[in-house]
Amino acid sequence: MGLMDKFADPSLFDSLSFGDKMAGSAITMLMGMGITFVVLMLLWGVFALMGKAMSPSAKKGDKASKAETKANATPSVAAPAAAKTDDVLTAVIAAAIAAYQSEGGTGNLVVRKIQRLSGETTLWTNAAREDCIESRRF
């Protein structure tokens, strides 16, 4: 009967010496850590493969077609909505400053410039922003 068989049997466990108990504990610990390490390495490999399969750089032929699509695309209709959103954004920022100052703020906060970040805004983005702002009203 091997050490691990004795280690697993509760009736024989008491008959083991301290050294045998420590050796069995070390074997159990190393097996547990080893299995955990192997499983984590397998998960890492699966995630790495999925990342490579799903990355946009893997599809080299799509870059040319995306460039052609952007070149042929008509301008977005978001320009009038963007002007409306700028007014709404300015009003929201001004309201936030007013609320800050009326709730005991120091009053030294001044908006000097509002600058939109670069990037294309779509009607969906504007609708989502307005919905988010609307959901926070009391």
Side-chain angles (χ1 to χ4, degrees):
M1 184 174 269
L3 174 64
M4 293 310 290
D5 293 332
K6 290 180 184 177
F7 196 74
D9 189 8
S11 62
L12 298 175
F13 185 78
D14 293 332
S15 67
L16 294 175
S17 67
F18 180 75
D20 288 341
K21 288 179 183 178
M22 294 309 284
S25 297
I27 291 170
T28 303
M29 178 188 68
L30 290 174
M31 286 177 57
M33 290 175 65
I35 291 170
T36 302
F37 181 74
V38 168
V39 169
L40 287 174
M41 291 304 293
L42 287 173
L43 283 172
W44 174 78
V46 168
F47 288 139
L49 288 174
M50 288 176 63
K52 286 184 179 182
M54 299 181 119
S55 70
S57 63
K59 301 173 184 172
K60 294 179 182 176
D62 287 345
K63 288 183 182 178
S65 64
K66 285 182 184 179
E68 290 175 14
T69 305
K70 281 196 172 192
N72 296 334
T74 58
S76 177
V77 187
K84 177 184 170 195
T85 304
D86 288 340
D87 294 339
V88 172
L89 179 64
T90 305
V92 168
I93 291 172
I97 292 170
Y100 170 76
Q101 290 176 347
S102 68
E103 292 180 5
T106 60
N108 60 0
L109 182 63
V110 178
V111 175
R112 295 175 192 238
K113 185 176 181 181
I114 299 174
Q115 183 177 2
R116 181 167 298 278
L117 298 177
S118 64
E120 188 176 310
T121 59
T122 63
L123 294 175
W124 284 102
T125 305
N126 294 335
R129 285 183 187 146
E130 289 176 13
D131 187 45
C132 184
I133 291 170
E134 187 68 33
S135 69
R136 293 187 175 137
R137 292 191 183 178
F138 293 106

